[in-house]
Amino acid sequence: MRTTSRRLWAVALLTAVTCSLTGVVTAPARAESGVPDARADDGSHVVAQTTVDGDPRMLDLTVRSVGVGSYAMVRLILPSGWDAEPGRKWPAVYLLAGETRLQDYRGWTANTDIRKLADDSGALVVMPGSGSAGFFSDWWNHGKDVVLNQWETFTAVEIPQLIDRAYRGDGRRVAAGLSLGGYGAVELAARRPGVFRFAGSFSGNLNPTGPYGELLTSAIVASARQDPEALWGDRRREASRWDAHDPLVNADRLRGTELYLSTGNGLPGPFDGKLPIDVLPGAMLLEFLCSGQTTAMADRLNRLGVPVMTDFYGPGTHHWAYWQDQLHKTWPRMLRALSAPVKAGEVS
């Protein structure tokens, strides 16, 4: 009974922390004309697109997703020259969201200078939403025969097909993500080898079956007011399902993907001086938990002989200033990974 009580207390604490850092997704206010007539294999399609802040190269796409079972959002930055070269196709950088404030498809443009970086990249920049706590996974939904919350399908199948078919993507893709998005980048690369040439995790929760991973996973889902067991089932009864969604467990499937892992240790660091005092404890706790999972993942990859580059930068907490820094460190690597010719099977 004491163990159960401690577990429930820990989930409640982590839920409170993640709730305090969670944003809310809203749909665009109005649609514009010119929506491409293209569909993914399952029928998913863009139903509306809007320019953001009057910028003709930054679009918000409303996608009717068959897998998600509803509408989902994607922010897209078009490369310079996209209009002037209508016959050209482009590689794509996918930036995946986490569970922090402004965690949805708008987070990267709101908290980093990705719009400036994108200018001379020669690549599409794709920032898909992931639900309030979608975990980039196709949810188990208690074993019911229902298509709902299929966020792996949305991110790794529907969106790549729509980007390639409607916005002239050429099949070459790299991905990086923060926190839960870091999990998503690495996990999707493991579950679907070849979908991304490069997978980068910034402060990712990469071991959901590990000592603290189960608690953190349950807290993230609970913070979105959803049933944690609808994700992958009960941790004990559905252990194989949990294992199948754990990047550390499936690390050997990452051979051939260029990997980058980074994390702080949870202690206040150089970018924490302006962090609100009420946010700091939660940012410290979350980074500490993700740090343990990230270093365990690196150790596992090293034991398997799977190449990985790491940046364990010491003091630093769970917030955007560190991820902006990591974006700049990895940006040239991602563009280099995109530079090789298209391989067989990469085009959607």
Side-chain angles (χ1 to χ4, degrees):
M1 182 64 70
R2 288 182 180 176
T3 299
T4 301
S5 298
R6 284 197 297 268
R7 182 178 181 277
L8 291 174
W9 179 87
V11 170
L13 174 62
L14 287 171
T15 300
V17 169
T18 52
C19 278
S20 71
L21 297 172
T22 298
V24 177
V25 178
T26 57
R30 63 186 182 86
E32 297 176 353
S33 59
V35 176
D37 183 18
R39 291 178 180 261
D41 289 348
D42 65 3
S44 299
H45 58 287
V46 178
V47 297
Q49 70 179 32
T50 66
T51 57
V52 180
D53 297 331
D55 184 344
R57 285 177 42 217
M58 188 155 66
L59 307 175
D60 278 354
L61 314 180
T62 305
V63 177
R64 177 64 178 90
S65 168
V66 172
V68 172
S70 65
Y71 296 96
M73 300 300 300
V74 180
R75 180 159 288 182
L76 173 66
I77 303 176
L78 300 172
S80 58
W82 191 86
D83 283 326
E85 301 179 74
R88 180 177 173 181
K89 293 188 175 182
W90 309 80
V93 177
Y94 282 64
L95 297 178
L96 306 185
E99 74 282 353
T100 56
R101 189 181 306 276
L102 282 176
Q103 56 84 32
D104 59 26
Y105 65 100
R106 301 163 295 186
W108 286 97
T109 53
N111 296 283
T112 74
D113 61 350
I114 182 58
R115 179 63 186 83
K116 181 178 179 181
L117 289 176
D119 275 340
D120 299 318
S121 67
L124 298 151
V125 180
V126 184
M127 295 159 281
S130 58
S132 53
F135 262 86
F136 300 92
S137 296
D138 289 352
W139 284 44
W140 182 53
N141 295 318
H142 296 284
K144 298 177 181 178
D145 186 17
V146 57
V147 180
L148 182 68
N149 280 337
Q150 308 295 289
W151 291 102
E152 176 182 329
T153 296
F154 175 72
T155 309
V157 181
E158 293 174 353
I159 295 307
Q161 289 178 353
L162 290 174
I163 292 299
D164 288 359
R165 296 170 187 179
Y167 298 94
R168 306 204 305 270
D170 68 7
R172 292 177 292 176
R173 306 178 200 96
V174 297
L178 61 96
S179 193
L180 187 55
Y183 164 85
V186 177
E187 172 63 353
L188 293 177
R191 288 181 61 82
R192 296 178 178 270
V195 68
F196 299 126
R197 297 179 168 194
F198 172 106
S201 169
F202 311 156
S203 309
N205 50 312
L206 302 177
N207 183 207
T209 67
Y212 299 105
E214 178 188 354
L215 293 176
L216 184 57
T217 298
S218 296
I220 290 170
V221 178
S223 73
R225 297 176 176 82
Q226 298 193 64
D227 179 4
E229 291 190 4
L231 176 57
W232 303 319
D234 176 82
R235 174 68 181 91
R236 306 300 176 261
R237 293 192 298 269
E238 300 293 337
S240 62
R241 195 179 308 279
W242 278 72
D243 287 346
H245 290 88
D246 189 315
L248 187 146
V249 173
N250 298 289
D252 58 333
R253 293 175 58 85
L254 289 163
R255 297 181 191 276
T257 302
E258 186 177 345
L259 300 172
Y260 180 93
L261 308 179
S262 69
T263 182
N265 61 19
L267 296 175
F271 301 134
D272 289 301
K274 296 183 179 179
L275 199 64
I277 191 65
D278 60 327
V279 173
L280 183 59
M284 292 172 63
L285 174 60
L286 286 173
E287 192 69 9
F288 171 75
L289 295 175
C290 291
S291 174
Q293 296 185 56
T294 301
T295 54
M297 180 69 179
D299 290 344
R300 169 79 168 146
L301 290 167
N302 287 329
R303 289 195 301 272
L304 291 170
V306 177
V308 58
M309 175 162 287
T310 61
D311 183 10
F312 301 153
Y313 45 84
T317 64
H318 207 71
H319 78 93
W320 277 103
Y322 295 96
W323 304 324
Q324 155 82 356
D325 186 56
Q326 289 299 314
L327 177 62
H328 276 258
K329 288 182 177 180
T330 55
W331 190 249
R333 297 180 182 280
M334 288 193 282
L335 296 186
R336 283 198 298 270
L338 288 174
S339 64
V342 178
K343 303 173 185 177
E346 283 189 313
V347 178
S348 298

